[in-house]
Amino acid sequence: FFDFKTRLLMMSDWKTALQDLGIDYRDDLGVVETLSTGAQRLTWQSEGLPADKLSTENGVILDHATRFPLVIDPSGQAISFLANHHRSGKIQTTSFL
């Protein structure tokens, strides 16, 4: 899991590699569009995930994670989203305060 700046750099490197290999791609190529659907993103927003690019990328990562994430969330938005997203299952939140 990388910060926003690192993710942008990695996407730029990925596009360069595709271009070097002669593989055609769309200019709007992105991880979010590749690994999620519009319906999923709308559902995440209705569950409390902010609509900004970083939050949406984090939603994709959380959706595809194979392990339980450690979420450091000073604003509380991610915790609210995860609680809403997994309300039908068992979820436990912990605070170190």
Side-chain angles (χ1 to χ4, degrees):
F1 308 101
F2 303 100
D3 64 13
F4 188 66
K5 191 174 183 179
T6 304
R7 292 177 194 178
L8 289 175
L9 181 62
M10 291 170 68
M11 282 299 298
S12 175
D13 291 346
W14 186 28
K15 288 178 181 181
T16 300
L18 291 174
Q19 188 174 13
D20 290 347
L21 294 170
I23 299 172
D24 292 331
Y25 62 90
R26 296 186 335 229
D27 288 333
D28 64 344
L29 175 68
V31 173
V32 171
E33 293 76 16
T34 303
L35 297 177
S36 67
T37 65
Q40 283 176 309
R41 294 188 296 272
L42 286 174
T43 300
W44 296 339
Q45 288 175 19
S46 73
E47 294 169 336
L49 186 70
D52 63 277
K53 185 172 178 135
L54 180 61
S55 296
T56 306
E57 287 178 359
N58 288 336
V60 168
I61 291 168
L62 291 170
D63 198 46
H64 287 82
T66 57
R67 295 181 170 199
F68 296 105
L70 170 63
V71 177
I72 300 171
D73 182 30
S75 69
Q77 290 179 320
I79 300 300
S80 296
F81 163 68
L82 287 170
N84 287 331
H85 187 66
H86 295 288
R87 67 181 162 262
S88 62
K90 294 181 181 179
I91 187 167
Q92 180 179 356
T93 58
T94 303
S95 175
F96 295 102
L97 299 177

